[in-house]
Amino acid sequence: MKYPIPFDERELKLKAIQMRKDIVLQTLHAGSGHPGGSLSATEILVVLYNCIMKHDPTDPQNEGRDRFILSKGHITPGYYSILSRTGYIDEDELVKFRKFGSILQGHPKRYTQHGIEMSGGSLGQNFSVACGMAMAIKHLKKQAYKVFDLASDGELQEGSNWEAIMAAAHFKLNNLCMIVDDNNLQIDGNTCDIMGIAPIDKKFEAFNWNVINVDGHDLKAVYDAFKKFEELSKNSDRPTVIIAKTIKGQGISFMADVCGWHGKAPNQAEYDASIKELEEQEKQLKENS
Amino acid sequence: MRNWELKLVRQGWADALVELGEKNPKVVVLDADLSKSTLTCFFKEKFPEREFNIGIAEQNMVNIGAGLSIEGYIPYTATYGVFMSGRAWEQIRTTVCMNNFNVKFGGAHGGLSVGPDGASHQALEEIAVMRCLPNMTIIVPADYSEAKKATLAAAEIVGPVYLRFGREKLPVVSSDDDEFIVGKAKLMQEGTDVTIVACGAMVAEALDAADELKEKGISAEVINLHTVKPIDSEALIKSVKKTNALVTAEEHQLMGGMGSAVFEVIAQHYPVPAEMVGIKDTFGESGTPAELFEKYGCKSKNIVEKVLEVLKRKNK
């Protein structure tokens, strides 16, 4: 299979910058969409798709692939970018995001040939689906393919998640890894003010999960967290959660940690400013290495 | 009244699951702590490695089913109709139906016949809330044999199938040799004066009503509409073109149910005087099934009354 490729921090940093450019590009063209949570999940997706998951864009339904399920379905700008940059979606398609006739629906529509395993958009639903896949793989197929699920902190307010979190431990789904993009922001404000869910780690521990806390923007730390999961999936019969502390809107100064950028597209001037910042980051990275 | 032989409808579903378990290694069962009521316990006993009890968590059960179907399995989920079609409705809509996933729903204890458990457990809305979902097939078997055939047939359909069956034994209105085709209404009895369309427990009541009508010199045609969706428009239109009068009968809310589905077809293609028998915008209560059917107007005599009404309008 084409992936995973070896971890190279500089390369991944460049990929993360490219992904952030894709995120603002797609939302600019669509005139809507969700940049904030896409930007917070950028490093997670870049590491997962490049250096962790076994998968092959030339054979998207390869039985032996690791599976990825997007629970926080609104972060399509980030999701479509990583799928495009790893070879599942034509780069030219990105500007058609959210437009009539495009495969790039506002919230994901299942297109297995494009690596989109599952539709999404209704929060709290897809982690149960990921559980079902992990159960099928572990208990019926008796295989070790991994299932990764990316959820958000706000999304954990949906009660059915906890039904699934309970079930994942009950069925000893050590092939299952949930990543919580813990950016402490949701549409109406700070998660801790709207409906506090802290402490997330203690809740998962109480549900008999392995818990890994990580800085979700530190590529090496994220990589190590996934590697730790791989180890745990061999040595423990518990599912694993990686709680990635992140900043919504990360990488673009005026979007960072601002609630309003959850579901708002940049205008042309904001887009230009974003690209300028990202190009500056790129330049500095290249000069320093 | 005919001297009906009675048999558990859900036993037909349970026996079919065991048969499927032997025939098809992809068939798995998901429970929500009701395996002894839904009778999936028979499958569990025989194929313990292919039954998963998800606990009292219907939303999770449905979407775990979706995950299993992504991996190529055919999950049969089982719980009471109230929790299946109500609690897990959005999972059924957004995850299962939108993706046309191959998940089957066994909605047990549908209707008033749940009896003493009372209104909370008497599902009277499943047909309405499942019928508006694209890709969904809905089957309401009338007896043991139909339940068995429907459960077997569901495995051959790629996509979601909702099976509704009640708690009580029901009259045996079909034989094992009868043909059962999903989407094809079954003509139970030919007649010329009125068409009675029924499903589930009301099929036997409709046949009893036809007997009573015969004594009054009225010839009733009785159609068993076991598949509510996709609806057999052709058979319905053909029958009302002959009889020019229609009565529907179901153990379900009148709004949005089987009768509504039939009316949608007839009103658009061949309007005739028509009446409905079923639950009139109310919840049930505790009681014996017989007491409840009497109070809520789901007896053969209610069908007879409605037939006499439509015939008056037809002859004007």
Side-chain angles (χ1 to χ4, degrees):
Chain A
M1 274 186 256
K2 193 176 165 195
Y3 293 96
I5 58 173
F7 180 82
D8 177 333
E9 189 157 10
R10 182 180 176 277
E11 277 307 304
L12 291 184
K13 275 185 178 165
L14 289 170
K15 286 178 193 292
I17 292 169
Q18 182 57 55
M19 183 159 154
R20 291 194 159 97
K21 288 183 184 172
D22 289 344
I23 290 166
V24 285
L25 178 84
Q26 288 172 87
T27 46
L28 170 78
H29 279 268
S32 63
H34 300 78
S38 298
L39 293 165
S40 65
T42 295
E43 279 75 15
I44 297 164
L45 288 171
V46 163
V47 170
L48 192 54
Y49 267 81
N50 284 290
C51 306
I52 299 296
M53 285 201 301
K54 293 186 188 73
H55 66 112
D56 188 347
T58 64
D59 184 13
Q61 283 288 287
N62 186 304
E63 173 60 21
R65 75 197 182 281
D66 292 330
R67 279 76 163 153
F68 176 79
I69 296 292
L70 182 66
S71 272
K72 47 177 307 197
H74 51 281
I75 68 151
T76 37
Y79 189 34
Y80 295 155
S81 169
I82 196 70
L83 287 171
S84 166
R85 299 293 162 184
T86 50
Y88 289 93
I89 292 169
D90 193 350
E91 197 188 317
D92 297 341
E93 194 69 24
L94 293 178
V95 293
K96 299 178 194 161
F97 173 54
R98 284 181 165 248
K99 291 206 161 49
F100 185 70
S102 171
I103 58 165
L104 305 186
Q105 295 287 295
H107 292 86
K109 179 167 164 37
R110 177 171 145 90
Y111 286 109
T112 52
Q113 69 273 36
H114 294 294
I116 305 174
E117 299 263 9
M118 194 35 213
S119 59
S122 178
L123 296 179
Q125 288 213 24
N126 277 3
F127 184 59
S128 294
V129 177
C131 273
M133 294 169 80
M135 281 166 69
I137 291 164
K138 178 169 180 179
H139 296 301
L140 296 167
K141 296 182 177 174
K142 318 268 185 212
Q143 296 294 336
Y145 326 136
K146 313 273 187 301
V147 180
F148 295 90
D149 177 278
L150 177 59
S152 73
D153 55 339
E155 184 185 8
L156 293 176
Q157 291 160 355
E158 287 282 5
S160 65
N161 274 316
W162 298 96
E163 296 180 357
I165 289 163
M166 202 185 306
H170 179 81
F171 291 114
K172 303 189 187 319
L173 302 180
N174 55 356
N175 55 338
L176 180 62
C177 176
M178 181 196 251
I179 309 109
V180 178
D181 180 3
D182 183 13
N183 60 32
N184 192 36
L185 276 179
Q186 56 188 112
I187 297 177
D188 275 351
N190 289 309
T191 304
C192 55
D193 297 328
I194 304 305
M195 181 48 66
I197 52 160
I200 299 174
D201 50 358
K202 298 255 179 342
K203 286 190 171 73
F204 276 91
E205 275 165 19
F207 276 74
N208 296 323
W209 280 54
N210 299 315
V211 177
I212 302 169
N213 284 294
V214 71
D215 173 349
H217 298 305
D218 180 338
L219 289 160
K220 182 66 169 65
V222 171
Y223 177 74
D224 289 344
F226 282 122
K227 283 295 177 193
K228 175 85 179 150
F229 157 65
E230 285 178 357
E231 223 174 274
L232 285 165
S233 73
K234 287 180 203 133
N235 309 327
S236 147
D237 61 5
R238 294 178 171 206
T240 295
V241 62
I242 296 173
I243 302 168
K245 195 75 208 144
T246 58
I247 296 166
K248 206 160 180 170
Q250 168 78 358
I252 296 167
S253 59
F254 58 92
M255 290 189 187
D257 206 25
V258 176
C259 181
W261 286 101
H262 169 87
K264 191 180 96 166
N267 60 29
Q268 187 65 49
E270 287 160 340
Y271 171 77
D272 293 341
S274 305
I275 294 297
K276 200 176 158 198
E277 276 192 32
L278 292 166
E279 277 174 352
E280 185 56 37
Q281 291 170 24
E282 208 169 15
K283 199 176 135 203
Q284 278 182 14
L285 187 63
K286 284 177 178 165
E287 279 171 4
N288 294 342
S289 55
Chain B
M1 287 275 280
R2 300 183 194 186
N3 193 17
W4 294 108
E5 180 201 342
L6 300 175
K7 218 169 164 185
L8 269 185
V9 183
R10 55 198 157 114
Q11 189 67 53
W13 137 275
D15 291 349
L17 286 178
V18 171
E19 197 176 316
L20 281 170
E22 279 155 5
K23 281 201 304 211
N24 189 341
K26 296 288 185 193
V27 169
V28 297
V29 165
L30 299 182
D31 281 307
D33 197 36
L34 287 171
S35 64
K36 287 170 197 145
S37 298
T38 63
L39 301 184
T40 48
C41 52
F42 292 98
F43 181 94
K44 180 183 183 172
E45 203 179 294
K46 222 143 176 212
F47 309 101
E49 73 293 349
R50 281 153 65 191
E51 186 271 354
F52 300 96
N53 204 321
I54 308 302
I56 310 164
E58 297 78 10
Q59 300 171 63
N60 192 34
M61 173 175 73
V62 166
N63 275 9
I64 281 182
L68 286 160
S69 82
I70 289 176
E71 294 296 330
Y73 294 90
I74 308 174
Y76 279 70
T77 61
T79 183
Y80 291 169
V82 169
F83 313 128
M84 184 73 88
S85 69
R87 180 69 66 97
W89 185 83
E90 203 216 338
Q91 275 75 10
I92 296 176
R93 175 197 178 268
T94 304
T95 294
V96 177
C97 287
M98 262 177 62
N99 292 291
N100 199 31
F101 284 142
N102 206 8
V103 183
K104 316 303 172 188
F105 306 100
H109 289 42
L112 288 172
S113 55
V114 175
D117 274 349
S120 63
H121 282 53
Q122 292 162 357
L124 297 173
E125 312 83 9
E126 315 101 292
I127 298 173
V129 296
M130 291 291 111
R131 197 161 72 82
C132 55
L133 297 176
N135 295 329
M136 182 64 91
T137 295
I138 304 171
I139 306 175
V140 186
D143 66 1
Y144 166 89
S145 182
E146 278 198 2
K148 189 171 176 188
K149 290 171 193 164
T151 306
L152 293 172
E156 306 299 319
I157 295 169
V158 180
V161 178
Y162 190 97
L163 300 158
R164 184 203 204 215
F165 37 83
R167 177 178 184 274
E168 293 297 289
K169 287 180 179 176
L170 283 184
V172 173
V173 295
S174 71
S175 85
D176 290 346
D177 302 331
D178 287 358
E179 190 178 50
F180 179 89
I181 301 170
V182 176
K184 286 281 169 215
K186 190 174 169 204
L187 184 60
M188 303 296 287
Q189 178 174 312
E190 287 194 52
T192 53
D193 297 329
V194 62
T195 299
I196 304 172
V197 182
C199 66
M202 297 306 286
V203 173
E205 297 290 338
L207 290 167
D208 281 341
D211 289 350
E212 286 176 47
L213 290 162
K214 197 176 171 190
E215 286 167 22
K216 297 178 197 291
I218 297 162
S219 164
E221 179 145 304
V222 178
I223 290 177
N224 169 5
L225 193 66
H226 51 68
T227 308
V228 179
K229 189 184 177 184
I231 198 162
D232 188 354
S233 303
E234 200 184 325
L236 296 170
I237 295 165
K238 188 181 162 197
S239 180
V240 296
K241 274 188 175 168
K242 178 171 67 172
T243 63
N244 285 295
L246 169 70
V247 172
T248 61
E250 64 198 302
E251 185 194 358
H252 185 278
Q253 295 289 357
L254 291 180
M255 273 181 252
M258 182 278 292
S260 294
V262 173
F263 274 43
E264 284 162 17
V265 172
I266 297 307
Q268 292 182 81
H269 297 280
Y270 195 80
V272 296
E275 289 284 345
M276 303 171 105
V277 169
I279 313 298
K280 300 166 200 72
D281 199 16
T282 181
F283 290 106
E285 64 187 287
S286 290
T288 65
E291 286 165 337
L292 297 171
F293 270 57
E294 181 75 29
K295 175 172 177 183
Y296 293 93
C298 290
K299 298 292 290 178
S300 59
K301 66 177 181 186
N302 306 105
I303 300 173
V304 170
E305 269 168 38
K306 292 294 185 188
V307 167
L308 297 176
E309 278 177 40
V310 285
L311 290 182
K312 270 188 233 157
R313 277 155 52 201
K314 173 182 160 180
N315 296 331
K316 260 182 194 166

